[in-house]
Amino acid sequence: RETYVGYVDVKSQPVQFYVQKTANFTATTANAELSPFEMVKLNEGGAMDEQTGIFKAPKSGIYVFDFAAVDLAGGTDLVVNIHKNDELVASGGPVGSANHGTVAILSMLQLTVDDTI
């Protein structure tokens, strides 16, 4: 009989998603608290609700969230906020020229079951 050190009852189920917006924000939509993503390229584990754009942790652990956007000239100022449940955990705005600024936020968060992002 084989014995695996550190393997007893260890099971892994991947949780990963990749979503995109395909529509631009406008002055009328920029103040929306949440704007669902129109394109879901990956939703392994089903933790991203495709209708609401809310991620719900299926199990406790450390999760990594990576967000990127481009702020086009002529619109309202872009500010991106990421919330864990109702608490602000990350925020960012564009860096770059007046015509095209980029926003990038990388967050590594400890989540428990049913925490939302």
Side-chain angles (χ1 to χ4, degrees):
R1 176 177 172 186
E2 276 186 59
T3 302
Y4 294 98
V5 176
Y7 189 78
V8 177
D9 293 328
V10 174
K11 296 178 182 174
S12 179
Q13 181 179 359
V15 176
Q16 51 192 338
F17 68 94
Y18 176 28
V19 293
Q20 287 182 321
K21 294 244 357 116
T22 56
N24 290 338
F25 284 107
T26 65
T28 57
T29 62
N31 292 324
E33 285 188 26
L34 182 66
S35 180
F37 301 94
E38 292 89 10
M39 185 182 297
V40 178
K41 293 190 168 199
L42 176 69
N43 193 9
E44 190 170 2
M48 170 56 79
D49 184 320
E50 298 174 17
Q51 300 301 312
T52 64
I54 295 174
F55 174 86
K56 188 174 184 179
K59 55 186 173 181
S60 296
I62 297 173
Y63 290 80
V64 177
F65 297 90
D66 189 3
F67 177 88
V70 174
D71 185 18
L72 302 175
T76 59
D77 292 337
L78 174 65
V79 175
V80 177
N81 294 321
I82 298 176
H83 292 83
K84 173 182 170 185
N85 301 318
D86 290 325
E87 179 185 348
L88 179 66
V89 293
S91 184
V95 175
S97 72
N99 291 329
H100 286 309
T102 58
V103 178
I105 301 173
L106 178 63
S107 297
M108 184 177 272
L109 302 170
Q110 178 73 46
L111 302 181
T112 58
V113 174
D114 293 335
D115 277 346
T116 58
I117 299 294

